[in-house]
Amino acid sequence: MPTVSVKRDLLFRALGRTYTDEEFDELCFEFGLELDEITSEKEIISKEQGNEKAHGASDVVLYKIDVPANRYDLLCLEGLVRGLQVFKERIKTPMYKRVMPKGEVQKLIITEETAKIRPYAVAAVLRNIKFTKDRYDSFIELQEKLHQNICRKRALVAIGTHDLDTLSGPFTYTAKKPSDIKFKPLNKSKEYTACELMNIYKTDNQLKHYLHIIENKPLYPVIYDSNGVVLSMPPIINGNHSKITVNTKNVFIECTGTDFTKAKIVLDVIVTMFSEYCENQFTVEAAEVVFPNGKLHTFPELAYRKEMVRADLINKKVGIRETPENLAKLLTRMCLKSEVIGDGNQIEVEIPPTRADIIHACDIIEDAAIAYGYNNIQMTLPKTYTIANQFPLNKLTELLRQDMAAAGFTEALTFALCSQEDIADKLGMDISATKAVHISNPKTAEFQVARTTLLPGLLKTLAANRKMPLPLKLFEISDIVIKDSSRDVGARNYRHLCAVYYNKNPGFEIIHGLLDRIMQLLDVPPGEKKGGYAIKASEGPVFFPGRCAEIFARGQSIGKLGVLHPDVITKFELTMPCSCVEINIEPFL
Amino acid sequence: MADGPVAEVLLRRLEAADGGLDSAELATELGVEHQSVVGAVKSLQALGQIIETELRSTKRWELTTEGEEIAQEGSHEARVFRSIPPEGLPQSELMRLPSGKVGFSKAMSNKWIRVDKSAADGPRVFRVVDSVEDEVQRRLQLVRGGQAEKLGEKERSELRKRKLLTEVTLKTYWVSKGSAFSTSISKQETELSPEMISSGSWRDRPFKPYNFSAHGVLPDSGHLHPLLKVRSQFRQIFLEMGFTEMPTDNYIESSFWNFDALFQPQQHPARDQHDTFFLRDPAQAQQLPMDYVHRVKRTHSQGGYGSQGYKYNWKLDEARKNLLRTHTTAASARALYRLAQKKPFTPAKYFSIDRVFRNETLDATHLAEFHQIEGVVADHGLTLGHLMGVLREFFTKLGITQLRFKPAYNPYTEPSMEIFSYHQGLKKWVEVGNSGIFRPEMLLPMGLPENVSVIAWGLSLERPTMIKYGINNIRELVGHKVNLQMVYDSPLCRLDAERGPPSTQEAA
């Protein structure tokens, strides 16, 4: 969930009233926001870097507000204020308009070289905008928030904003060899080639995260004006030449990316939010983009869409009984201008370009419910009549767990993920013999594979509890995972039961007795006859030679029991003899 | 015990005594260790009001080991004197005697002996007097006889300086008759025996009282794990509410069921390497229900079922990627797909509690695997009010009655609501779960009828368990680093029962 930090006093001034922290928290809750933290720049720095560094930093109160991940229109102060003011019916939601300039329209030409790396670009102009320090900061911050969220860290979309008065169109969006791109990047005093820049930015704490997007590509994306001035090298850095400042009057905005829909949404969000400060409020000057196929598109789209929703559908989905007029009013409070039309049951809802999150009637219904107030909805119980059933495997597991504890064994709960070493090397086996599934992106060795046996987890539990009085008797009934090409995903779980006895003596007879007890509980008689169980001498690297037996029940091998091999005991950092049993319980379903 | 010979003698002496007697004196008189008299006193005390005792401490002079030797053998100077024959002894020879050095100088200063340095074979020692009075030995013998008080303060301190005497503090009992004094103490029985029962002798025998403030002996027993005890209770609650358990015994899931089927777009951050464990082997799901896959693909990329869709290039390869399921909602999606294939539609209530996996940064409250609890109801015409109603009943069974709902965003539910409950200890609202109505873009491609709504909610199993059992670090609860003592000691899990003192770690 993105967090937006705004100055409290600036927020209250824009809202036209003040709130106590509690009142504002309440308002956020109702609207689906969360007042996450009340802090200040000074407090943040002192928390992160110590009191000394914080000396002299601003102690203006900041509200950190958590915003739902799909509400890009609430990622800046301007949007938050507009949303809340409309919600509280203090203002009407603005109409955003795209206008053609009196003179020549700005043009951005996309060449076909971009196709392989970053094929889409959109653009727009904010004409006669009036920045202040706070507005300018908010403008920069919004781009950063968009980059981190919808733009997926600039991979899908990257934004460049420029002082149009320093440039001269038409603009060209192309891709060139890194060695052929040379310009003075933002906040640098000299020119570098793209190759040099990629090296320099390797140590830049912010920019280093974006280099991978183009790093190994033969061509890098770049935007030029008609004089060959570099506007930007997306998604890495803008040129210094066209840098915007508090005094910038006319802003050229370009968004490039690999996701056309998202590029258009991002552009719409920026211009709808900041056209508020243009001379002609909420109007945006169009720009034309010529695609490599010669097609000409005009941006920003600022598309308004009409959706029809039946009032009784809203009432039925939410569980309320409101008149269509009231419902239209509720929706209008959510920036969705609505009116009752037709037979008096139809509501026509206008989806503004700021609300890209509204893609289905259910999104409209949710907004009606939010405006109605979730906590005003009458709670009722559905009349759904059903008979409950347990999942048979879990039912068996629950019954067995109880009786394992009754037999004096204590239940452990160990991780399903572990290292290759745990399930192979430490048990004297080769990993290829385990049929284990392998994780491709573990952050540490603890998450290399899914366990193929419960034994390592229990042995590690013993090792962590060596100080406890002996004997230690543990069990676990849980799932292990084995590759199985007959399954849709190529792997399946098996429900295993494992128990260990750890003491000064191996206690094989105790583990053997436990097996007998388990078979008694499962109503499996001893003996090799059909339906019975028996153990037969066996061997394996896990067990001490001559102290291992395979368990057969209902005509199939279900596991092994025995005294652990001293090498296994040692590798799990244990010092006492130990015996164990591990079986698959699925044949007993 | 009380019938020991010492205790018997003590009682007889006490009967004859005028007022009382001292334990140390008695020990001396009987010629036994003081400790055995003390033992007798203690065993008599345990019988009730037979005797009364008063602890006294007395100071006493005792001989040191060297003092003991001198009381026996005589002082060093006397021993030196006695070892000199009339014809004298070479000084060098005398010095070699055990008492030689100390005794020589003391005997010299007592003027008992003299040295002739002009003797032919070196200095020679001669007696000066015919006999000597060994005062040191006499004094020490007095002390040994318990008559130290006969010595003057100065004499005693001189002997102490010579490390022949020490002063010791002795703790003794002054014993007098108790209110139930009797010399005939019969043996107290400790336990009832079969013989006593058959002979009836228990009727005439006194029994030793039990010490009820002592702890009992805990039974040898196995124990269930606290987290799984809580799991059992949640299962019980769902079963009481008529919910059927979904199969969740498949940790490995395809991205398709884990994300795509839930209308979670392929660029969603949750599908990042940073958040999800993907599989290297087997890397891809080979079998997917292709008809359904095509409907899902179309809904994502073009929309449909009343949706605009996400308008991006949906890739089958991305959907085939295997992973460790990040939520049990993947299993719910499979269950709902199976439900959708059953015609005609039958309403259903489902639940599951099982492990999920996240490739997250680990801390005191987050592990890479945890348990998710999920409830799902599918029926015609379910409303947000129904969802809230079911949640109220569910949480009431957990002992949570004050609920509040906050609008939220989940990719696969709309409307979505976070569930908050008021925490008495923290005096604030804390999130206890997440819920919503599944999106039509998820349900309709499965083939569920259009007027069927599916409400769902989820929460973690670990958090309520940590609160319930007052555990701050999740590693003490889950995984091999568990504290077995905690497992042994953990009480029953009764979720709706009155809680103990409010815990403070709930905010974590």
Side-chain angles (χ1 to χ4, degrees):
Chain A
M1 208 188 281
T3 305
V4 180
S5 118
V6 294
K7 291 182 182 165
R8 183 192 61 186
D9 295 349
L10 215 56
L11 178 72
F12 288 173
R13 207 177 311 145
L15 288 171
R17 61 159 286 188
T18 59
Y19 292 83
T20 64
D21 293 341
E22 290 73 26
E23 285 168 344
F24 192 73
D25 184 51
E26 202 59 36
L27 174 64
C28 285
F29 194 95
E30 203 187 336
F31 192 58
L33 302 169
E34 207 171 320
L35 180 55
D36 185 48
E37 202 185 346
I38 301 164
T39 180
S40 70
E41 215 166 283
K42 192 170 193 169
E43 212 179 306
I44 296 169
I45 299 174
S46 93
K47 225 183 259 173
E48 286 169 0
Q49 306 169 32
N51 283 329
E52 269 173 40
K53 287 266 167 71
H55 188 74
S58 156
D59 44 18
V60 169
V61 179
L62 294 178
Y63 275 177
K64 290 200 154 185
I65 301 171
D66 280 349
V67 174
N70 61 341
R71 290 297 300 269
Y72 317 119
D73 60 319
L74 301 176
L75 288 176
C76 59
L77 176 93
E78 290 73 13
L80 278 170
V81 168
R82 222 173 286 164
L84 288 170
Q85 292 294 73
V86 173
F87 184 59
K88 285 282 157 197
E89 296 178 288
R90 294 199 196 103
I91 60 164
K92 286 201 166 135
T93 182
M95 268 307 280
Y96 306 101
K97 257 191 291 186
R98 183 177 77 194
V99 295
M100 293 308 279
K102 286 184 197 108
E104 204 165 324
V105 62
Q106 296 299 333
K107 218 172 242 181
L108 175 65
I109 300 148
I110 308 180
T111 72
E112 58 192 9
E113 289 83 1
T114 60
K116 281 215 174 111
I117 170 147
R118 210 171 173 81
Y120 303 108
V122 294
V125 175
L126 286 173
R127 186 67 72 178
N128 290 322
I129 194 167
K130 200 168 171 200
F131 281 127
T132 61
K133 176 77 172 68
D134 285 323
R135 291 172 181 183
Y136 176 85
D137 290 347
S138 177
F139 188 62
I140 302 296
E141 191 57 28
L142 172 64
Q143 293 173 50
E144 177 58 19
K145 291 284 176 231
L146 290 168
H147 275 153
Q148 292 311 311
N149 293 285
I150 181 174
C151 302
R152 306 284 308 114
K153 302 195 168 101
R154 301 192 190 179
L156 301 183
V157 185
I159 309 158
T161 54
H162 311 276
D163 187 338
L164 182 59
D165 298 331
T166 65
L167 298 164
S168 96
F171 306 99
T172 308
Y173 174 43
T174 184
K176 283 190 161 187
K177 274 200 256 171
S179 52
D180 293 348
I181 302 171
K182 194 170 188 194
F183 66 107
K184 196 194 285 178
L186 200 60
N187 302 329
K188 294 263 187 224
S189 50
K190 91 183 232 255
E191 291 199 342
Y192 298 91
T193 66
C195 308
E196 289 168 335
L197 281 177
M198 294 299 267
N199 255 324
I200 292 169
Y201 292 145
K202 277 206 174 87
T203 54
D204 185 301
N205 278 335
Q206 204 201 345
L207 296 179
K208 67 179 177 195
H209 302 293
Y210 310 120
L211 303 181
H212 72 96
I213 303 172
I214 58 168
E215 206 165 21
N216 298 316
K217 304 279 161 84
L219 305 179
Y220 286 4
V222 60
I223 304 178
Y224 293 100
D225 82 346
S226 61
N227 298 324
V229 171
V230 170
L231 276 71
S232 63
M233 183 174 83
I236 312 296
I237 190 82
N238 287 349
N240 196 55
H241 178 92
S242 56
K243 172 174 157 183
I244 65 162
T245 68
V246 179
N247 301 318
T248 298
K249 286 268 165 296
N250 300 302
V251 183
F252 180 71
I253 304 162
E254 39 87 3
C255 302
T256 58
T258 54
D259 186 316
F260 193 30
T261 311
K262 289 204 163 61
K264 290 189 286 189
I265 292 172
V266 168
L267 185 66
D268 278 353
V269 170
I270 296 177
V271 298
T272 51
M273 293 301 113
F274 281 86
S275 56
E276 182 177 347
Y277 302 131
C278 288
E279 198 171 58
N280 291 321
Q281 247 193 344
F282 304 119
T283 62
V284 185
E285 184 179 310
E288 289 175 346
V289 178
V290 185
F291 278 55
N293 60 8
K295 268 203 177 156
L296 191 132
H297 296 257
T298 308
F299 297 108
E301 282 194 340
L302 293 184
Y304 281 81
R305 187 174 92 239
K306 295 260 163 89
E307 294 269 1
M308 295 293 193
V309 190
R310 293 178 60 81
D312 57 359
L313 182 74
I314 299 178
N315 279 328
K316 249 171 65 186
K317 292 282 180 190
V318 179
I320 52 176
R321 281 183 195 173
E322 287 293 299
T323 62
E325 287 73 22
N326 274 351
L327 291 174
K329 216 181 271 174
L330 291 174
L331 289 170
T332 305
R333 283 175 51 204
M334 301 301 289
C335 293
L336 302 174
K337 231 167 74 186
S338 304
E339 53 183 334
V340 183
I341 58 154
D343 62 358
N345 189 20
Q346 287 281 358
I347 300 174
E348 189 185 68
V349 187
E350 188 180 61
I351 319 295
T354 44
R355 294 298 307 273
D357 59 299
I358 306 275
I359 56 174
H360 192 279
C362 68
D363 299 302
I364 296 169
I365 292 165
E366 180 183 64
D367 273 15
I370 293 172
Y372 183 84
Y374 276 5
N375 295 294
N376 299 325
I377 299 169
Q378 181 81 37
M379 298 188 199
T380 47
L381 273 182
K383 297 199 165 54
T384 313
Y385 180 81
T386 52
I387 303 283
N389 285 306
Q390 303 186 47
F391 182 51
L393 185 58
N394 290 357
K395 186 175 178 179
L396 176 64
T397 303
E398 284 291 288
L399 290 169
L400 272 176
R401 286 174 62 226
Q402 300 288 338
D403 271 300
M404 289 295 289
F409 281 70
T410 291
E411 188 172 34
L413 172 62
T414 68
F415 296 127
L417 304 185
C418 58
S419 65
Q420 289 191 22
E421 204 189 6
D422 285 341
I423 56 163
D425 313 32
K426 284 186 185 173
L427 298 178
M429 298 206 287
D430 192 81
I431 187 69
S432 59
T434 61
K435 286 167 75 182
V437 302
H438 290 259
I439 293 164
S440 66
N441 57 333
K443 280 178 187 151
T444 66
E446 293 167 88
F447 312 116
Q448 287 173 326
V449 290
R451 65 184 172 199
T452 52
T453 154
L454 298 177
L455 181 63
L458 289 187
L459 295 181
K460 289 200 278 186
T461 309
L462 288 177
N465 285 279
R466 273 178 311 199
K467 285 185 188 143
M468 296 291 292
L470 294 173
L472 286 171
K473 298 191 275 185
L474 300 181
F475 81 96
E476 183 169 18
I477 308 179
S478 191
D479 285 356
I480 59 109
V481 184
I482 301 280
K483 280 202 287 181
D484 181 344
S485 56
S486 73
R487 292 301 176 104
D488 60 348
V489 295
R492 64 160 295 187
N493 287 20
Y494 282 97
R495 184 71 41 95
H496 273 201
L497 181 160
C498 184
V500 291
Y501 177 82
Y502 182 70
N503 201 1
K504 287 177 183 144
N505 58 300
F508 177 80
E509 68 287 358
I510 288 165
I511 280 298
H512 188 187
L514 182 71
L515 174 69
D516 291 339
R517 174 66 184 143
I518 294 166
M519 289 300 136
Q520 205 173 47
L521 291 166
L522 292 169
D523 203 13
V524 180
E528 284 182 54
K529 272 180 294 181
K530 193 165 174 272
Y533 79 99
I535 67 171
K536 286 179 190 161
S538 175
E539 54 188 24
V542 177
F543 298 97
F544 197 49
R547 299 279 184 276
C548 164
E550 190 166 1
I551 308 158
F552 294 87
R554 300 205 169 150
Q556 57 177 299
S557 168
I558 58 162
K560 280 182 177 173
L561 81 166
V563 177
L564 290 185
H565 196 286
D567 285 346
V568 174
I569 292 171
T570 315
K571 279 181 182 149
F572 282 94
E573 291 164 17
L574 294 169
T575 51
M576 302 276 169
C578 180
S579 53
C580 82
V581 59
E582 180 160 6
I583 60 168
N584 170 17
I585 63 165
E586 297 191 13
F588 305 105
L589 272 175
Chain B
M1 297 304 286
D3 57 340
V6 180
E8 268 171 41
V9 175
L10 189 149
L11 288 174
R12 274 201 304 278
R13 294 273 178 118
L14 190 58
E15 188 181 28
D18 186 12
L21 54 83
D22 182 78
S23 60
E25 280 169 17
L26 182 65
T28 318
E29 284 173 37
L30 299 178
V32 298
E33 291 279 325
H34 182 232
Q35 204 47 46
S36 63
V37 178
V38 170
V41 168
K42 285 196 170 156
S43 69
L44 289 169
Q45 275 177 323
L47 298 179
Q49 304 300 314
I50 304 289
I51 56 167
E52 270 176 22
T53 57
E54 186 192 327
L55 193 60
R56 290 178 171 179
S57 62
T58 47
K59 290 195 171 170
R60 221 180 60 186
W61 291 95
E62 267 184 10
L63 299 187
T64 62
T65 322
E66 193 184 357
E68 199 65 53
E69 185 197 316
I70 286 170
Q72 198 78 32
E73 310 278 339
S75 65
H76 297 295
E77 53 271 32
R79 276 185 267 172
V80 162
F81 177 82
R82 284 197 294 270
S83 62
I84 299 171
E87 66 275 17
L89 198 67
Q91 191 179 5
S92 55
E93 204 173 306
L94 184 135
M95 284 308 189
R96 278 199 295 274
L97 293 172
S99 304
K101 278 182 186 160
V102 189
F104 173 77
S105 56
K106 206 72 189 159
M108 282 294 286
S109 72
N110 284 354
K111 299 203 164 61
W112 291 350
I113 54 172
R114 68 180 172 82
V115 184
D116 182 1
K117 289 184 177 162
S118 58
D121 49 352
R124 210 173 172 85
V125 185
F126 295 93
R127 289 187 180 186
V128 176
V129 290
D130 293 336
S131 65
V132 295
E133 194 75 21
D134 191 349
E135 193 59 23
V136 173
Q137 183 181 29
R138 190 187 65 84
R139 286 174 191 165
L140 290 178
Q141 278 168 347
L142 273 178
V143 173
R144 189 166 65 172
Q147 294 178 298
E149 70 280 2
K150 287 193 174 159
L151 297 179
E153 184 69 33
K154 204 179 147 199
E155 293 159 331
R156 279 199 301 256
S157 85
E158 188 199 313
L159 290 172
R160 196 181 59 196
K161 276 183 200 152
R162 287 182 69 175
K163 297 204 170 106
L164 303 177
L165 272 192
T166 56
E167 195 173 25
V168 294
T169 306
L170 184 70
K171 294 219 187 294
T172 62
Y173 285 98
W174 179 254
V175 186
S176 55
K177 291 172 187 167
S179 58
F181 179 77
S182 158
T183 51
S184 60
I185 301 294
S186 63
K187 178 184 177 182
Q188 280 193 315
E189 300 294 343
T190 50
E191 292 299 354
L192 195 59
S193 70
E195 291 73 27
M196 288 177 203
I197 294 170
S198 63
S199 69
S201 69
W202 60 269
R203 293 176 204 277
D204 315 318
R205 309 291 297 169
F207 284 82
K208 195 181 175 208
Y210 276 173
N211 174 9
F212 290 113
S213 62
H215 286 290
V217 179
L218 283 176
D220 266 338
S221 56
H223 310 263
L224 294 173
H225 191 280
L227 188 86
L228 301 177
K229 288 202 272 197
V230 179
R231 183 180 73 177
S232 296
Q233 287 313 300
F234 273 102
R235 280 185 93 242
Q236 185 64 34
I237 288 171
F238 277 114
L239 293 170
E240 284 167 8
M241 291 175 70
F243 283 64
T244 284
E245 194 170 25
M246 291 182 272
T248 46
D249 57 334
N250 57 317
Y251 296 161
I252 309 301
E253 194 50 278
S254 60
S255 292
F256 178 77
W257 286 108
N258 196 79
F259 294 124
D260 297 285
L262 301 172
F263 196 52
Q264 204 151 346
Q266 296 190 328
Q267 316 85 349
H268 194 277
R271 303 180 72 152
D272 240 42
Q273 298 277 324
H274 296 292
D275 294 309
T276 299
F277 289 114
F278 287 94
L279 290 200
R280 169 160 64 77
D281 181 25
Q284 285 205 324
Q286 292 308 323
Q287 303 154 38
L288 293 175
M290 287 316 285
D291 272 4
Y292 172 43
V293 167
H294 286 303
R295 292 194 294 273
V296 168
K297 173 181 175 163
R298 202 177 52 231
T299 315
H300 278 245
S301 55
Q302 300 162 35
Y305 307 103
S307 176
Q308 300 287 311
Y310 293 122
K311 296 179 180 146
Y312 70 97
N313 184 13
W314 189 91
K315 295 191 182 103
L316 183 61
D317 275 352
E318 196 60 41
R320 281 197 196 277
K321 282 187 184 167
N322 275 335
L323 44 79
L324 280 149
R325 67 169 174 229
T326 63
H327 47 197
T328 46
T329 319
S332 306
R334 283 181 184 262
L336 288 170
Y337 176 72
R338 279 193 300 272
L339 181 67
Q341 310 317 304
K342 272 197 280 179
K343 306 284 178 221
F345 170 79
T346 359
K349 293 196 289 204
Y350 292 141
F351 82 95
S352 68
I353 310 168
D354 211 337
R355 288 179 203 240
V356 298
F357 306 85
R358 306 267 171 97
N359 196 6
E360 279 179 356
T361 313
L362 314 181
D363 61 32
T365 54
H366 293 90
L367 290 173
E369 51 190 277
F370 61 95
H371 290 73
Q372 210 170 41
I373 302 166
E374 192 156 315
V376 173
V377 185
D379 201 352
H380 295 283
L382 293 178
T383 68
L384 213 46
H386 286 136
L387 171 60
M388 292 160 68
V390 173
L391 289 172
R392 183 183 57 192
E393 297 305 317
F394 178 78
F395 280 97
T396 300
K397 281 181 175 284
L398 299 177
I400 295 172
T401 48
Q402 255 181 302
L403 287 187
R404 191 161 89 132
F405 300 92
K406 176 180 161 293
Y409 169 68
N410 295 315
Y412 43 89
T413 57
E414 189 84 10
S416 309
M417 36 176 60
E418 279 169 4
I419 311 152
F420 282 71
S421 90
Y422 190 75
H423 192 279
Q424 298 294 348
L426 295 171
K427 301 253 173 285
K428 69 174 193 177
W429 292 89
V430 293
E431 196 195 327
V432 292
N434 211 335
S435 68
I437 302 184
F438 282 130
R439 292 191 72 98
E441 294 100 320
M442 166 180 162
L443 302 179
L444 297 177
M446 289 177 171
L448 284 168
E450 203 162 339
N451 54 355
V452 166
S453 296
V454 182
I455 59 179
W457 75 99
L459 58 155
S460 95
L461 178 62
E462 277 75 0
R463 214 168 99 100
T465 306
M466 287 171 80
I467 294 163
K468 176 88 196 160
Y469 290 103
I471 295 164
N472 288 318
N473 186 345
I474 196 163
R475 283 177 183 76
E476 278 175 31
L477 177 68
V478 181
H480 56 267
K481 287 183 185 151
V482 66
N483 175 358
L484 281 180
Q485 193 63 49
M486 179 277 293
V487 176
Y488 293 170
D489 296 344
S490 75
L492 291 178
C493 170
R494 292 183 299 164
L495 293 169
D496 54 349
E498 193 77 9
R499 279 195 198 171
S503 82
T504 47
Q505 57 268 10
E506 188 145 352

